[in-house]
Coordinates of all heavy atoms in Angstrom, one line a residue:
A6 N 76.3 112.2 105.5 CA 77.4 111.2 106.0 C 78.7 112.0 106.3 O 79.1 112.8 105.6 CB 77.6 110.2 105.0
E7 N 79.3 111.7 107.5 CA 80.6 112.2 107.8 C 81.6 111.1 107.3 O 81.4 110.0 107.9 CB 80.7 112.4 109.3 CG 82.1 113.0 109.6 CD 82.2 113.3 111.1 OE1 81.2 113.1 111.9 OE2 83.4 113.7 111.6
V8 N 82.5 111.4 106.5 CA 83.4 110.4 105.9 C 84.8 110.7 106.3 O 85.2 111.8 106.2 CB 83.3 110.4 104.4 CG1 84.1 109.3 103.8 CG2 81.9 110.1 104.0
I9 N 85.5 109.8 107.0 CA 86.8 109.9 107.5 C 87.8 109.1 106.9 O 87.7 107.8 106.8 CB 86.9 109.7 109.0 CG1 85.9 110.8 109.7 CG2 88.3 109.9 109.6 CD1 85.6 110.6 111.2
L10 N 88.8 109.6 106.2 CA 89.8 108.7 105.6 C 90.9 108.6 106.6 O 91.3 109.5 107.3 CB 90.5 109.4 104.4 CG 89.7 109.2 103.0 CD1 90.2 110.1 101.9 CD2 90.0 107.8 102.6
T11 N 91.5 107.4 106.7 CA 92.5 107.0 107.7 C 93.8 107.7 107.4 O 94.7 107.9 108.4 CB 92.7 105.6 107.7 OG1 93.3 105.1 106.4 CG2 91.6 104.8 108.0
G12 N 94.2 108.1 106.1 CA 95.5 108.4 105.8 C 96.4 107.1 105.9 O 95.9 105.9 105.9
G13 N 97.7 107.1 105.4 CA 98.5 106.1 105.3 C 99.1 106.0 103.9 O 99.0 107.0 103.1
R14 N 99.8 104.9 103.7 CA 100.5 104.8 102.3 C 99.5 104.4 101.3 O 98.8 103.4 101.4 CB 101.6 103.7 102.5 CG 102.5 103.7 101.2 CD 103.6 102.7 101.3 NE 103.2 101.3 101.6 CZ 103.3 100.7 102.9 NH1 103.6 101.4 103.8 NH2 102.8 99.5 102.9
L15 N 99.5 105.2 100.1 CA 98.6 104.9 99.1 C 99.0 103.8 98.2 O 100.1 103.8 97.8 CB 98.4 106.2 98.2 CG 97.6 106.1 96.9 CD1 96.1 105.8 97.4 CD2 97.7 107.3 96.1
R16 N 98.1 102.9 98.0 CA 98.3 101.8 97.0 C 97.6 102.3 95.7 O 96.3 102.1 95.6 CB 97.8 100.5 97.6 CG 98.2 99.2 96.9 CD 98.2 98.1 97.6 NE 96.6 97.7 97.8 CZ 96.1 96.7 98.5 NH1 96.8 96.1 99.2 NH2 94.7 96.5 98.6
R17 N 98.3 102.7 94.8 CA 97.8 103.4 93.6 C 96.9 102.4 92.8 O 96.0 102.9 92.1 CB 98.8 104.0 92.8 CG 99.4 105.2 93.4 CD 100.5 105.9 92.4 NE 101.0 107.0 93.0 CZ 102.0 107.1 93.9 NH1 102.6 106.0 94.3 NH2 102.5 108.3 94.4
A18 N 97.2 101.1 92.9 CA 96.5 100.1 92.1 C 95.0 100.1 92.3 O 94.3 99.9 91.3 CB 97.1 98.7 92.2
D19 N 94.7 100.4 93.6 CA 93.3 100.2 93.9 C 92.6 101.2 94.9 O 91.6 101.2 95.4 CB 92.8 98.8 94.4 CG 93.6 98.6 95.8 OD1 94.4 99.4 96.3 OD2 93.6 97.4 96.3
G20 N 93.5 102.3 95.2 CA 93.0 103.3 96.1 C 93.0 102.9 97.6 O 92.5 103.6 98.4
G21 N 93.8 101.9 97.9 CA 93.8 101.5 99.3 C 94.8 102.3 100.1 O 95.9 102.6 99.6
L22 N 94.6 102.5 101.4 CA 95.5 103.1 102.3 C 95.9 102.2 103.3 O 95.0 101.6 104.1 CB 94.9 104.4 102.9 CG 94.4 105.6 102.0 CD1 93.6 106.5 102.7 CD2 95.7 106.2 101.5
T23 N 97.3 102.0 103.6 CA 97.8 101.0 104.5 C 98.8 101.6 105.3 O 99.2 102.7 105.1 CB 98.1 99.6 103.7 OG1 99.3 100.1 102.9 CG2 97.1 99.0 102.8
G24 N 99.4 100.7 106.2 CA 100.6 101.1 107.0 C 100.2 101.6 108.5 O 99.0 101.6 108.8
D25 N 101.2 102.0 109.0 CA 101.0 102.4 110.6 C 100.0 103.5 110.7 O 99.2 103.6 111.8 CB 102.3 102.8 111.2 CG 103.3 101.6 111.2 OD1 102.7 100.4 111.3 OD2 104.6 101.7 111.5
M26 N 100.1 104.5 109.9 CA 99.2 105.7 110.1 C 97.8 105.2 109.8 O 96.9 105.6 110.7 CB 99.6 106.7 109.0 CG 98.8 108.0 109.1 SD 99.1 109.2 107.9 CE 100.8 109.5 108.4
A27 N 97.5 104.4 108.9 CA 96.1 103.9 108.8 C 95.7 103.1 110.1 O 94.5 103.3 110.6 CB 95.9 102.9 107.7
V28 N 96.5 102.3 110.6 CA 96.1 101.5 111.8 C 96.0 102.4 112.9 O 95.0 102.3 113.7 CB 97.2 100.5 112.1 CG1 97.2 99.8 113.5 CG2 97.3 99.4 111.1
E29 N 96.9 103.4 113.1 CA 96.8 104.4 114.3 C 95.5 105.1 114.2 O 94.8 105.5 115.2 CB 97.9 105.2 114.4 CG 99.2 104.5 114.8 CD 99.1 103.9 116.1 OE1 98.5 104.4 117.1 OE2 99.3 102.7 116.2
T30 N 95.0 105.6 113.0 CA 93.9 106.3 112.9 C 92.7 105.5 113.3 O 91.8 105.9 114.1 CB 93.6 106.8 111.4 OG1 94.8 107.6 111.0 CG2 92.4 107.6 111.3
I31 N 92.6 104.2 112.9 CA 91.5 103.4 113.2 C 91.4 103.1 114.7 O 90.3 103.1 115.2 CB 91.7 101.9 112.4 CG1 91.4 102.2 111.0 CG2 90.9 100.9 113.1 CD1 92.0 101.1 109.9
R32 N 92.6 103.0 115.4 CA 92.5 102.8 116.8 C 91.9 104.0 117.6 O 91.7 103.8 118.7 CB 93.8 102.4 117.2 CG 94.3 101.1 116.7 CD 95.4 100.5 117.6 NE 95.9 99.2 116.9 CZ 95.3 98.1 116.9 NH1 94.1 97.9 117.5 NH2 95.9 97.0 116.3
Q33 N 91.7 105.1 117.0 CA 91.1 106.3 117.7 C 89.5 106.2 117.7 O 88.9 107.0 118.3 CB 91.5 107.6 116.9 CG 93.0 107.9 117.0 CD 93.4 109.1 116.2 OE1 92.8 110.2 116.4 NE2 94.5 109.1 115.5
F34 N 89.0 105.1 117.0 CA 87.5 105.0 116.9 C 87.1 103.9 117.5 O 87.7 102.8 117.6 CB 87.0 105.2 115.4 CG 87.3 106.4 114.8 CD1 88.7 106.7 114.1 CD2 86.4 107.4 114.8 CE1 88.9 107.9 113.6 CE2 86.6 108.7 114.2 CZ 87.9 108.8 113.5
K35 N 85.8 103.7 117.9 CA 85.0 102.5 118.4 C 83.7 102.7 117.7 O 82.9 103.4 118.1 CB 84.9 102.5 119.9 CG 84.3 101.2 120.3 CD 85.4 100.0 120.3 CE 84.9 98.7 120.8 NZ 85.9 97.7 120.9
V36 N 83.5 102.0 116.6 CA 82.3 102.1 115.8 C 81.3 101.0 116.1 O 81.5 99.8 116.5 CB 82.7 102.2 114.3 CG1 83.7 103.3 114.1 CG2 83.2 100.9 113.7
D37 N 80.1 101.2 115.5 CA 79.0 100.2 115.7 C 79.2 98.9 114.8 O 79.0 97.8 115.4 CB 77.7 100.7 115.2 CG 77.3 102.0 116.1 OD1 77.4 102.0 117.2 OD2 76.7 103.0 115.5
M38 N 79.9 99.0 113.6 CA 80.0 97.9 112.7 C 81.2 98.0 111.8 O 81.5 99.1 111.3 CB 78.7 97.7 112.0 CG 78.8 96.5 111.1 SD 77.2 96.2 110.1 CE 76.1 96.1 111.6

């Protein structure tokens, strides 16, 4: 598996990454599901 992390602001409580950097990374991809 190729695993790509979005980057972004780390939410330490649960390991989530949010914010503009996460959104911009996601918009670079078009995935199956």
Side-chain angles (χ1 to χ4, degrees):
E7 182 177 1
V8 182
I9 299 168
L10 273 168
T11 63
R14 186 173 62 253
L15 173 63
R16 196 166 65 186
R17 290 181 176 82
D19 61 3
L22 297 167
T23 64
D25 291 341
M26 186 179 295
V28 171
E29 289 306 313
T30 302
I31 287 162
R32 294 202 185 283
Q33 295 178 43
F34 294 88
K35 188 76 174 182
V36 302
D37 298 319
M38 184 177 295

